[in-house]
Each structure stands twice: as structure tokens, then as C-alpha cells.
Amino acid sequence: TKAEGPVHSGKRAIKRTAKGLAQDVYEGGQGQVIPPNGKLFLHVWIDPKDPPKGLMLQLNKNGWDHRAVWGDDQAFEWGKANTHSRMLVGPLPEANKWVRLEVPIEKIGLVPGDHLAGFALTQVDGTVYWDEVGVVGVTDPDLNSSRSFLLWLQENSGKKVDGIKPDLQKALEAHPKTKMSGDHMAELLRHYLQEICIDTSPKLKPLDDLANQMRKLRNQLDNSMPRTFVYNDLKDPRETFVMLRGQYTIKGERVYPGVPAFLPPLPERPADKRANRLDLANWLVSNEHPLTARVAVNRFWQQFFSIGLVETSSDFGVQGTPPSHPELLDWLAVDFRESGWDVKRLVRQIVVSATFRQASNLRPGLSEEDPHNRLLARGPRFRLDAEQIRDNALFVSGLMDLKMGGRGVNPYQPPNIWEPVGFVGSNTAKYTQGHGTSLYRRSVYTFFKRTAPPPFMVNFDAPSREASCSRRIRSNTPLQALQLMNDVQHFEAGRQLATRMINSGGPTGEERIRFAYKLLVAREPSKDELAIVQDYLQQNLTRFEKDPEAAGKVIRHGESTVDAKLSETELAAYTLVANLLFNMDETLNRN
């Protein structure tokens, strides 16, 4: 500080007393750019009672190889004498006073635009005070092509410049004889700012490199995606005619793209422009179209109530069933369209409505007055779809992998399903079961072979996808019960639910059963239900205590790990309890 010794600028200076070589090094930050006509400077104060042999200013530009020396340059071992790596600039400065030392940048091998990453203040012996180190220069952007785009353009017009694209190079070589287009000028300016301008390139170039890296990753992702054929319209569409009596060699009246006459017409097109698929798409979602929004909201209503407001969801014509609530259908359709076809909003409207949240109990008199619940006097009750039954079991058991997206997966499936219908050499000739978390992905990710669909889907009336299906028909067959009781996926889910019951349900059997009821059907068991399930649990505990080998077989279905801390007999008993609860009507039905 000024109270302790000489300070040239500010409140403090660096004091260094050395025996031999010593230095203070500064690195980091964004560094310093050397300006045009640059001159490096520093201030020193030498103790007259203890002078050094020599002083050195070292600069880091991709290495410490630029050095200016005052005094005895032989006192320093670094660099080659009389080169920019060790250049003698002058004698040792006068002692007992602040002296400003200067050195032109070119004398130690630097040029305007160089970036300095650090500097070092070095001395051999003596006591020296150091202060205010920097670089000074004069720069005029109008006279410096590294800061003036117009000057750079003037200097490089008609020349070949490395690092720019061929079409841009051609435009630059022709400039100014041929006026450059606005797009080429903007692209050239972007190149100048990112690659040449000393003020902007340090900031823009890293961002451009990052953008290029992201583009490369995006292209890799695009290239990894399976491709499918898409149709393009011909530049000159083929003429289409009515073929008289169906004979393709006898042409009748020429026809043009259109829509049924009972629906609003397509927007008018110029005489030389026929309607295309984009016109049809816009027509389908136009405000004048009476069906698209109605059909869409009816399908969503059907998904939540098992039956649409129009029961014949695939037929809105005169042979279809009239809507049970026409005003409701119209209101939902208009609101859906005006919301921007917001599906999430429509779903929320339906599921939070008082109509959907009603109890599904059949109250006295309703079975005669409204047996099919077309008047919506009670909540809907119907069996869950195939995918929902499987996903529900995986979710409550804790097995489900909720990862989004990716390739289709092959969960558990009985053997020899694909093989009888597989073509030799086809990649689906033989079923190869997945492993690990792919076994527990949501059912929507299950790979679907149309000629041999997954049995757990087919058994619960999922369509084969060989034809369009607007509404699933629900059936009840013995095969469904056999699958729910014995299928590997469900039995394994039962064991994992049993593990949750033991680890998280509480210390007693009653608490664990109550825990399972809340997970599966969101309610407490009744007194009778609790007594029945407790009795079933005790029967199985007694059975497996007598036959531990059977208990081991029960808990080792599927590939998920068994909790080694649990008793095998206890886990097996609770597995059968969980399997029982999975098979309750209330678990399998929307109530």
C-alpha cells in the first residue's frame, strides 16, 4: 500500500524481493487483443539499495515465447538472444523513481489482432515494485479491415478468399463489377462477423461451432430414423375420366377432384389449378365442415364412456344412430375446433365433468328406464382395454418403465406365435423376446405383427390392425381369466406388488391388504372382503410353510429380481393374494 512503499497507480503495487529468478504470473479471463500500432508498457520502481540484474516482461500467446528484457539479458536462460523469445529492449531503468517502460509489439513478434492469454513480471535478484501493466494503441475502424466490413469487402472484392462457399466465392470475385445479391451480402457479412472481425468473432465463432455440432447430431438422428414413402403431386396431373361400363379403354366424361355434393364445396381454385391434397386437408378442418370436429369429439367421448354420443361412431349418415345429446355434441365440436383442436383440453373437459364423475351404481328403476345408460344418469362402467389392463398391472406393481419414445419392444409371449406365419428371411420370421426394462415398457410400445398380434392384446379384444377399427367390441371368455391368473407378465407383476405390500404396507397382514386395495381400486376393503382375503392369505402361508419348494417356484416367474431380504414362503403367499386382487372385476373395469 502507499503507506508501506511506492505505488504508481491506484491503492497497491506488487513488491517482489528475489535471490535469483522470481516472477508474478497472471492468466485467465478473456485475455487481451493487441490493437493496431500497439505498444506494451509497464511501470517499475527499483530499490537503489538492492537493484536487480535484469527485468523481463513475458507474454503468453499460445505459449510463453514473447519476451522483452531490460538490463542484463544473459541473466535469463529462456529463449534465444536477439529474437522475439528474448529481446533486449534497453538498459536497467533508473532506480528510486517510477519509470514507464515501453516496447513496440512487433519487436517481440506480436501483430495486431493477437490474443494474449496472460503475462509474467520477471526479475533476477533485487527488490522491485511493479505496477500498471498494459497495451496501448490507436485503432480506427474505418481504416482497419478487421473491424470494418466495408473496408474488408473493398480489399477483397475480385479476389479469392479461403474459407467461404463456392457460390459466395463466385459472387465476391465478381463484385463490384456485378452487384451482389442481398442474400449473398448477408451471408458474407455473417462470415465476416464469425470468422474475421476481431470484436465479434471470439464471441460468435464458439456459438457457430456449437450450432454446427447440434446440426450434426440432428442429422445423425434424422438418418437413424426409419424412412417411409410419401406421395408428391405430379407437376402436370394426369387426366381422369369415367370409364364407360368399366372398360378402361373407353373413356367417358372427364372428372376433377371434388367432394360429395351434400357437403360444403371445396374452396374455389383458379381455372388452371386443380384441387390437391392440401386443399382437401384445409377443407376437412374448415369452419364450414360439419363432420370433422363432431366425429373427433364423439370418438373421445366413446373412449371414456364406452359408447359415443353417436353410437355408430363410424357412421354419421342416415343409416347411423342419431346422437343421444345433439346439443352437447355440437357444443363440444365447436369448442374443440375454436380451441385450436386442443385434445388435452377436450379430455380434461370430459373427465372432470360431473357426468363422468358419477358413481356407476345401477340405481333402482334405471335398468328399465335406461338400461344402456344413453341418458347418462350414472357413471360409465366397462372393462378396460387390453393395453390398459397390462399397463395397470405393471404400474401398481412398480415394474413399469415410463421411458418415452424409441423402438418397439418384444415383451413376454408364448412360443411359436410368429413362426407359422413368418416368411423365410423376414426379420419377423421368428419372435425374439426382449430383456431387462424393455419387458416393462407401456403396451403402446409393444411391437405389433398384424398377422400374429400379441396374444395378451387379442385375448382382450384389441384389433389386429389389418383393418380400420372405429370401436372395440368387448367380449368375456375363459381365456381371459386364464391369462390374468397364469400369464408370466401378470404373475410377475403380482409378485412385485406383493413385495410392495410387505415392504411398504405395514407390519400386519390386514394393513398390507388395505394398502393393496388402495393401490388397485382406490378404496378400503369392506369387512367381508377383508375377512375373505385374510383367510386366503393364511391358507397360502400354511401351504408354503409345508412346501417351501413350491414357494420358490411361485416367486421366480419373470426376469425381475426377487428381494433377497424377504421370506420366500411369505412372499409366495402374498404373491397369490396380489394375483387374486388383480383378477377382481373392480380392478379390470372402469367404475
Side-chain angles (χ1 to χ4, degrees), residues 24 26 45 71 78 87 119 168 177 193 197 202 209 211 232 252 269 289 345 375 390 394 423 464 467 556 558 560:
D24 292 277
Y26 296 85
W45 193 97
W78 299 322
M87 178 60 67
F119 65 91
L168 206 56
K177 293 179 181 179
L193 293 174
C197 180
D209 292 342
N232 285 326
R269 300 275 290 175
H289 200 290
R345 182 174 179 273
L375 301 179
R390 176 177 176 272
L394 290 176
F423 293 103
S464 67
R556 284 177 175 81
S560 59

Side-chain angles (χ1 to χ4, degrees), residues 120-135:
L121 308 173
T122 310
Q123 67 192 72
V124 175
D125 296 340
T127 299
V128 181
Y129 296 80
W130 305 82
D131 203 350
E132 196 178 13
V133 183
V135 60

